[in-house]
Structure formats: C-alpha cells, structure tokens
Amino acid sequence: MDKKLLLEKYIKVAVKKALKEQEIAQKRAEKSMYLVYRFPGLKKTMTELMSPAFGRYVSNISIVAPKPTTFNINLINGQDFTIYYLGKGKFMAKIAGKKYNPAALGELERGSQAIADLLELNYGTVGEEKEPTPSGDTGGGSMPSPDNTAKDTELAADLSAAEETPAPEEAPAEETPAV
C-alpha cells in the first residue's frame, strides 16, 4: 500500500472521529440549553450572574435534586457551582462553598466575581492537552506514521481496519468539498 493511500485513509478516519465527537458535544449543549429555556427564572439568574453570553462558559447544566430544585452548572474549565430554586421566582447560588442571593445587588456582584474567579482557576476546555513531539520529529514535510500521530488506540485500530479493506476505485474527476 503506498504512502498516499495510507495517509488518505488516516485522514478519513480522523475526520470521521472528529465529526462524531462534535456531534456528541452539540447534543450535550442542546440538552443543557433546554433546561435553561425550560426554567425561565434560571436563564434570568444565569444572565444576571454571568452575562447574556453565559452559554460560552457553560459546558453542562443538570438537575441534581427535585426539592428544592437544584441545578448543577459545569463550566468549560471543569469547575462547577450550584443554583437552588427557592420558590416564587427566587434563586440562590452556591459558588465555591459560599451562598449568594442574586436578588440583593451586593451579593449578586460578589457572586459574579466568584464565578469569574472560578473561570480563572483553569481557563480552557477540558481534555485539551498538548502532546509532546517525538524527539525524532524535526517538523519536516515527511508523512506522519499512524504510530506517531494517533491520539489513542481507537484511532489506530480504525486505521488498521481501514488498511485491511481494499480501497474502491474512484473516478479521477471528482473532488471532495472541504469540511
């Protein structure tokens, strides 16, 4: 099998895996935002505590307990805080072990600052880790081998399965759109 065909199969497997991961993340985000729109008071409280663009900083929202209705909000950096529904449109936030009442302006400001502090602790998305480059890699234009570039064994297994199946012949005039 020539290098070009091997590289092509590797790229196809990597793209399929990346698209699947994006789809799962999108479904998770839709589920989280469903809870926000299902409970309008929660949306208002989140907007007051964070900003109208709070969705950028929230990775997941889940209901933890039915009474009092308790929401666990996971931030993009793995930190979390809790919001309690107290009844009659009132909410309370528990951030880093301290309770804040968003109805009071001073506590709302302190709660907003506590969330900002949580976001500063480890800013970035969970799971992004830089892999060390192999010592033999000089950054040249050589073709990467599956052993050096596969992020995990699943991708390597998919690639090896792709190598075993014969490649169908394609028409030379077709071009695939960029994703």
Side-chain angles (χ1 to χ4, degrees):
M1 183 176 293
D2 65 348
K3 292 180 180 182
K4 183 177 178 182
L5 187 59
L6 182 63
L7 180 62
E8 186 177 307
K9 287 184 179 184
Y10 173 74
I11 291 171
K12 285 180 183 179
V13 170
V15 167
K16 284 180 183 179
K17 183 175 181 183
L19 289 174
K20 186 177 180 181
E21 288 173 356
Q22 280 183 337
E23 184 178 319
I24 290 170
Q26 180 68 26
K27 286 181 181 179
R28 189 176 301 131
E30 287 174 2
K31 181 181 177 187
S32 295
M33 290 302 124
Y34 169 76
L35 286 176
V36 170
Y37 293 111
R38 171 111 162 55
F39 299 94
L42 177 62
K43 180 181 180 187
K44 181 179 179 258
T45 303
M46 294 287 291
T47 302
E48 290 173 351
L49 283 170
M50 297 176 79
S51 75
F54 65 86
R56 294 180 184 175
Y57 308 102
V58 174
S59 65
N60 190 19
I61 300 174
S62 58
I63 297 178
V64 178
K67 283 194 177 184
T69 306
T70 307
F71 301 95
N72 189 28
I73 291 86
N74 294 319
L75 300 173
I76 58 171
N77 61 355
Q79 303 295 326
D80 66 340
F81 64 95
T82 307
I83 294 180
Y84 301 95
Y85 176 66
L86 303 175
K88 298 184 181 177
K90 296 182 181 180
F91 288 85
M92 178 191 62
K94 185 175 181 182
I95 306 163
K98 296 181 183 176
K99 295 181 180 178
Y100 300 96
N101 181 8
L105 183 61
E107 289 190 38
L108 174 67
E109 294 299 321
R110 284 191 292 277
S112 294
Q113 185 59 47
I115 292 173
D117 292 342
L118 281 179
L119 285 166
E120 287 177 0
L121 288 177
N122 185 16
Y123 187 74
T125 57
V126 176
E128 283 188 15
E129 297 178 9
K130 292 184 179 179
E131 293 184 14
T133 57
S135 58
D137 186 18
T138 59
S142 64
M143 186 184 92
S145 69
D147 296 333
N148 292 338
T149 58
K151 289 185 179 179
D152 56 3
T153 57
E154 181 181 328
L155 186 59
D158 290 343
L159 182 60
S160 63
E163 289 177 6
E164 294 172 1
T165 59
E169 294 191 25
E170 297 179 4
E174 288 186 31
E175 289 187 20
T176 57
V179 178

